[in-house]
């Protein structure tokens, strides 16, 4: 495990020098040092890190819940819902169609719909910060789309779990789905109306006791969620949603951050351990086709969002390229698919797809002006909105809430 941490850290340090995000590098470390690659093998059996990997996944979604607020949806109004809904309709719809076109099966197509449809909030946020675009006018709709995606993800995983669990009949699937949504509804009601009581229960001045309390709550509810047919990650997300609105929310965010980073790295590393590089060539063409579909859908979604907000070509290009990245959510779906015994080609496909887009997205976002030139109106002189999208973060910095 120590070797896994250090290997991931070394690759991430090297990658940061050339502007690459950490997620694909953690996966690459697992691939290079796993049982399927010649040379040093740090972990011969990926199952040895199974519990730590699960904890990493729980902490990733728990932190996302801490950062998410229902007020974010209200503040964005109709424009954010319209832009986010359009993005999901284009990308999830294209992913579902692509999945059926591959012919791997209905369950596999449903997994691919989520894989191709949902951006990586971690990579998107990192790109915005690294490129100095926090104060740009198009940043708010970008983050708004991510908020809408997070809500969709919670509902989608809850709906997908009974299907992947292999219910014996339609009625059994309906019962499993009803049980899952009833549990989710209970958590949502507690999050909406029980914040004050939860805040009193969790509050303590001792950081040690606070860490033990929120970690125990997140892991316990994640485990209970699985028993009700809800993905463990979504249970952790709901706990984060509850605790994020309490008086201890800000302290919890600071205290959980290093835990999320450490065990999140193990989650990505462990996923890399399960990938056989020899399988990647067998899915090369589907991966490239999926990347092309994603790029095309993001351009269309960028145009749609820009029309809603009346942006020019430069802001449109920034939206299109920044949201391209796929990462942690795709890997969550890959983990669920592997546990359900779906087509063995899914894991290497998702790994290759995530690796390509996680590397391509920061590079494309940094060169979004190339795309702006070929968009409608891009040949002419930039308007005021476009000039404000050139990466100058001095105007309005700090006015846009940035999810981690």
């Amino acid at each position: 495990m120590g070797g896994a941490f250090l290997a991931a850290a070394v690759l991430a340090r090297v990658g940061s020098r050339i502007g690459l995000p950490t997620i694909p590098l953690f996966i690459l470390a697992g691939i290079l040092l796993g049982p399927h690659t010649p040379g040093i093998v740090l972990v011969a059996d990926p199952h040895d890190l199974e519990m730590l990997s699960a904890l990493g996944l729980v902490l990733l979604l728990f932190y996302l819940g801490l950062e998410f607020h229902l007020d974010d949806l209200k503040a964005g109004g109709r424009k954010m819902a319209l832009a986010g809904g359009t993005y999901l309709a284009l990308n999830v719809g294209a992913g579902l169609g692509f999945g059926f076109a591959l012919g791997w099966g209905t369950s596999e197509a449903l997994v691919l719909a989520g894989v191709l449809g949902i951006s990586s909030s971690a990579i998107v946020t990192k790109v915005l910060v690294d490129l100095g675009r926090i104060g740009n006018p198009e940043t708010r709709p970008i983050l708004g789309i991510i908020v809408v995606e997070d809500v969709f993800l919670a509902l989608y995983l809850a709906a997908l779990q009974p299907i992947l669990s292999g219910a014996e009949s339609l009625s059994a699937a309906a019962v499993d789905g009803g049980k899952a949504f009833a549990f989710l509804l209970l958590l949502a009601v507690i999050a909406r109306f029980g914040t004050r009581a939860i805040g009193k229960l969790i509050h303590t001045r001792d950081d040690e006791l606070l860490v033990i309390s929120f970690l125990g709550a997140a892991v316990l509810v994640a485990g209970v969620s699985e028993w009700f047919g809800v993905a463990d990650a979504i249970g952790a997300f709901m706990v984060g949603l509850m605790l994020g609105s309490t008086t201890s929310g800000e302290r919890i965010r600071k205290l959980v951050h290093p835990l999320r980073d450490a065990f999140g790295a193990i989650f990505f590393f462990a996923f890399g351990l399960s990938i056989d590089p020899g399988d990647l060539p067998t899915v090369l063409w589907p991966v490239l086709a999926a990347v092309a579909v994603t790029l095309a859908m993001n351009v269309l979604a960028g145009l749609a969002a820009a029309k809603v907000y009346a942006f020019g070509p430069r802001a449109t290009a920034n939206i299109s390229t920044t949201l391209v990245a796929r990462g942690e959510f795709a890997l969550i779906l890959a983990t669920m698919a592997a546990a359900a015994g779906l087509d063995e080609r899914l894991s290497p496909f998702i790994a290759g797809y995530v690796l390509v887009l996680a590397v391509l997205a920061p590079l494309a976002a940094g060169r979004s002006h190339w795309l702006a030139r070929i968009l409608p109106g891009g040949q002419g002189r930039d308007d005021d909105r476009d000039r404000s999208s050139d990466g100058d973060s001095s105007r309005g910095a700090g006015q846009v809430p940035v999810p981690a």
Side-chain angles (χ1 to χ4, degrees), residues 294-370:
T294 300
L295 292 175
M297 290 301 105
N298 272 263
V299 172
L300 292 177
L303 288 168
K307 187 172 183 179
V308 170
Y309 287 89
F311 287 145
R314 180 62 64 84
T316 303
N318 287 348
I319 294 173
S320 299
T321 54
T322 303
L323 289 168
V324 161
R326 300 295 187 265
E328 61 273 21
F329 300 143
L331 301 187
I332 291 171
L333 289 167
T335 302
M336 291 175 61
L342 300 187
D343 196 300
E344 294 180 354
R345 291 170 291 186
L346 269 179
S347 288
F349 169 85
I350 294 174
Y353 175 74
V354 168
L355 283 170
V356 171
L357 285 182
V359 173
L360 181 62
L363 300 177
R367 294 160 180 79
S368 59
H369 56 281
W370 293 355

Side-chain angles (χ1 to χ4, degrees), residues 88-305:
L88 285 171
L90 288 170
N91 285 272
V92 174
L96 184 62
F98 180 82
F100 281 121
L102 285 180
W104 290 356
T106 300
S107 296
E108 287 78 1
L110 292 171
V111 170
L112 289 173
V115 170
L116 270 66
I118 301 175
S119 306
S120 166
S121 60
I123 299 177
V124 167
T125 304
K126 183 174 176 59
V127 168
L128 290 171
V129 173
D130 290 349
L131 295 179
R133 293 178 179 170
I134 296 301
N136 287 5
E138 73 274 7
T139 296
R140 184 168 291 278
I142 288 173
L143 296 178
I145 289 172
I146 289 199
V147 169
V148 174
E149 285 184 319
D150 293 343
V151 175
F152 173 79
L153 175 72
L155 298 175
Y156 192 71
L157 289 182
L160 195 60
Q161 186 71 19
I163 298 174
L164 297 185
S165 64
E168 296 179 356
S169 64
L170 184 61
S171 60
V175 170
D176 290 343
K179 185 171 68 173
F181 277 109
F183 182 69
L184 265 183
L185 182 62
L186 174 63
L187 293 179
V189 170
I190 295 173
R192 177 65 179 86
F193 299 104
T195 302
R196 182 173 298 180
I198 292 172
K200 290 181 180 179
L201 287 173
I202 200 75
H203 178 71
T204 175
R205 294 181 179 180
D206 191 314
D207 284 349
E208 179 185 10
L209 294 179
L210 185 59
V211 169
I212 294 172
S213 299
F214 73 68
L215 188 60
V219 175
L220 175 63
V221 175
V224 174
S225 297
E226 278 198 326
W227 190 75
F228 277 97
V230 177
D232 52 1
I234 295 306
F237 174 86
M238 296 302 295
V239 175
L241 189 65
M242 297 174 197
L243 299 184
S245 300
T246 65
T247 55
S248 302
E250 187 59 36
R251 286 176 61 207
I252 294 174
R253 273 188 284 273
K254 293 179 180 178
L255 291 170
V256 78
H257 200 284
L259 292 172
R260 182 209 67 173
D261 288 346
F263 290 98
I266 290 297
F267 169 72
F268 298 123
F269 181 88
F271 181 77
L273 290 175
S274 65
I275 302 301
D276 185 348
D279 293 336
L280 294 178
T282 64
V283 293
L284 176 62
W285 292 113
V287 166
L288 294 178
V291 168
V293 169
T294 300
L295 292 175
M297 290 301 105
N298 272 263
V299 172
L300 292 177
L303 288 168

